[in-house]
Amino acid sequence: MGNSADATQDQNILQRLIGWRVGAAMEPHPPNDTLMKVQQPFYDLLNKFYFRLEVDGWERVPDETSLVIGVHSGGALTMDAWTLVNAWHVHFEGKRHLHGTAHDVLLATPGLGDYFRAVGVIAANRKSVGAALAQGEDVVVWPGGEVDSMRSWTKRDVATLGGRTGFVKQAIRSGVPILPVATVGGHDTVFVLNEGKWLANALDKVLGLKETLRGSNLPIIAGFPFPIAVEILPAHVPLPAKIRTELLDPIEVDSDPDRVNDKAYVQKIYDQVEAEIQAGMDRLAAKRKLPVLG
């Protein structure tokens, strides 16, 4: 009984800590201009020489506020997500901001969470995303969450949205189009050997952390500097994989609020978005000649 009570108390403390840290990222704020200017030369070098970033399809971005939907890869450090948000900032010269979204655990992580908030990242939930869209600011969401980012390397070119249709409902509520984004290469920055569902289940029975951490995977990775590691928090330095990204044709949604409860309609839009992203990933993956090197 004592061990169970201690585990419950520890879980409650962890929940409060995460809630307090994430609360600071609930309201959308513009990025810190000074930080953005200071870090940009580093990003320029990183994008040009390390990830050899290619982003196409800028002409497809609607003039109106959009909900950007994509996949993100690479364990706890999804460099294809970071590079997309930075490329958006550069392309629009900081005049049109794209709010990134992040998992509660990442936002609660000391250092990393503070950096995320400073560059305009918000919590990946309905309240935060809805508030940003209502302010006329673009938001990017990766519906697949940890299931997507921590999928096995053998599934690196599979569009994984996790069956989560909330983004379609958000677009309807906010009256904004969905802008799908395809990307490949992010999952070559670290090799996910096993998604670790079995490990997450085993630990959950002892510590009950699944609900607290909002995750079902504890991936086992192979990367640098650890040949083998369990990635709960970032446990690797991303490899210099080539990242290719393409902004796809926007998808208009019905702004009638009643459509939120129309399961068939919501599923239809979800399937369309997933299919478009998968087709884009197939095109981009066909350009790859070698893993990591691209």
Side-chain angles (χ1 to χ4, degrees):
M1 290 293 291
N3 290 339
S4 176
D6 290 343
T8 300
Q9 183 178 6
D10 290 343
Q11 182 180 2
N12 290 337
I13 292 173
L14 182 59
Q15 285 177 327
R16 289 197 295 271
L17 177 60
I18 291 175
W20 172 67
R21 293 278 296 174
V22 172
M26 290 293 285
E27 297 297 329
H29 296 287
N32 183 294
D33 286 336
T34 301
L35 174 60
M36 298 298 283
K37 290 177 182 177
V38 168
Q39 73 173 12
Q40 195 54 52
F42 171 73
Y43 263 101
D44 290 341
L45 291 173
L46 199 68
N47 292 339
K48 184 175 181 180
F49 298 108
Y50 198 78
F51 294 125
R52 292 155 289 143
L53 181 66
E54 293 180 7
V55 183
D56 297 314
W58 292 110
E59 72 281 358
R60 300 183 181 125
V61 178
D63 292 334
E64 60 188 301
T65 302
S66 301
L67 179 59
V68 183
I69 299 296
V71 298
H72 62 341
S73 312
L77 292 176
T78 53
M79 299 313 301
D80 48 8
W82 293 38
T83 53
L84 169 64
V85 174
N86 184 258
W88 186 287
H89 174 77
V90 171
H91 180 79
F92 290 105
E93 299 178 339
K95 297 174 183 176
R96 180 173 178 176
H97 183 62
L98 177 66
H99 284 284
T101 52
H103 191 286
D104 286 0
V105 173
L106 292 178
L107 285 172
T109 303
L112 184 61
D114 297 296
Y115 171 75
F116 276 173
R117 287 191 294 275
V119 295
V121 174
I122 58 177
N125 58 45
R126 176 178 169 182
K127 179 180 178 181
S128 298
V129 174
L133 293 172
Q135 292 176 189
E137 298 171 344
D138 305 297
V139 179
V140 58
V141 173
W142 296 277
E146 85 291 343
V147 176
D148 172 29
S149 66
M150 298 180 178
R151 68 192 186 279
S152 169
W153 185 79
T154 59
K155 304 174 185 175
R156 64 193 182 282
D157 297 330
V158 177
T160 304
L161 303 186
R164 298 167 180 171
T165 59
F167 71 89
V168 179
K169 298 176 182 179
Q170 184 63 66
I172 295 171
R173 292 190 190 98
S174 298
V176 298
I178 293 172
L179 181 66
V181 178
T183 188
V184 299
H187 230 48
D188 286 330
T189 62
V190 66
F191 298 101
V192 179
L193 305 178
N194 188 284
E195 294 169 5
K197 289 183 173 62
W198 59 275
L199 182 57
N201 290 336
L203 287 177
D204 186 58
K205 291 179 181 178
V206 178
L207 301 175
L209 291 179
K210 265 190 174 184
E211 183 178 353
T212 302
L213 299 180
R214 290 173 55 206
S216 58
N217 293 5
L218 282 177
I220 299 170
I221 64 167
F224 178 81
F226 306 111
I228 300 290
V230 176
E231 185 151 275
I232 300 175
L233 294 174
H236 72 277
V237 175
L239 298 173
K242 182 173 180 59
I243 296 177
R244 295 180 173 93
T245 299
E246 183 180 355
L247 301 160
L248 308 173
D249 290 322
I251 296 173
E252 298 290 338
V253 299
D254 194 331
S255 59
D256 182 349
D258 290 338
R259 282 293 203 180
V260 169
N261 301 314
D262 186 337
K263 292 183 179 180
Y265 177 76
V266 170
Q267 189 63 47
K268 173 187 174 183
I269 298 297
Y270 173 92
D271 291 342
Q272 183 180 357
V273 173
E274 186 176 59
E276 291 293 336
I277 293 175
Q278 184 62 69
M281 290 177 68
D282 290 342
R283 289 194 301 273
L284 295 174
K287 299 180 180 181
R288 183 196 295 121
K289 297 178 181 178
L290 293 170
V292 180
L293 297 177

